[in-house]
Amino acid sequence: MNEALEAYRFDDAARAIYDFFWGELCDWYIELIKPRLSTEDGADKNAAQLACRNLVSVFEASIRLLHPVMPFITEKSGTRYMTDSRR
């Protein structure tokens, strides 16, 4: 992605970010951690908290990656997310 941005190939950079966000984060990572996020009796609360913190970190990094190609959308969602997460 950095090479694409340095070469002003915003379409390639956007495609790489899109592929990561939907292909890796949404399709795989979230599906893999769903069992760890369970709040049922006997569930490991520490594992759930760790999985949630990791997901938040990856989401924040994804918003930063998206910002150069979608500044208005990421500004709005990032501001809303940061406000909600501080509650």
Side-chain angles (χ1 to χ4, degrees):
M1 190 203 76
N2 287 339
E3 292 174 8
L5 288 175
E6 289 171 1
Y8 299 103
R9 295 297 313 247
F10 298 113
D11 58 324
D12 291 340
R15 173 60 59 191
I17 298 166
Y18 175 87
D19 290 344
F20 167 76
F21 194 80
W22 290 112
E24 301 297 325
L25 180 64
C26 294
D27 287 348
W28 288 102
Y29 187 71
I30 291 176
E31 293 300 322
L32 288 173
I33 67 166
K34 277 183 183 178
R36 291 178 65 190
L37 295 174
S38 174
T39 57
E40 296 177 7
D41 293 335
D44 185 358
K45 303 270 190 228
N46 291 331
Q49 288 176 342
L50 179 62
C52 190
R53 278 194 301 257
N54 287 339
L55 180 59
V56 168
S57 294
V58 172
F59 181 75
E60 287 175 346
S62 298
I63 292 293
R64 287 185 185 104
L65 284 173
L66 287 168
H67 190 71
V69 292
M70 297 173 29
F72 299 110
I73 294 170
T74 56
E75 182 70 27
K76 182 73 170 175
S77 61
T79 302
R80 169 178 250 157
Y81 166 75
M82 292 304 229
T83 302
D84 291 345
S85 69
R86 291 183 184 149
R87 290 182 187 172

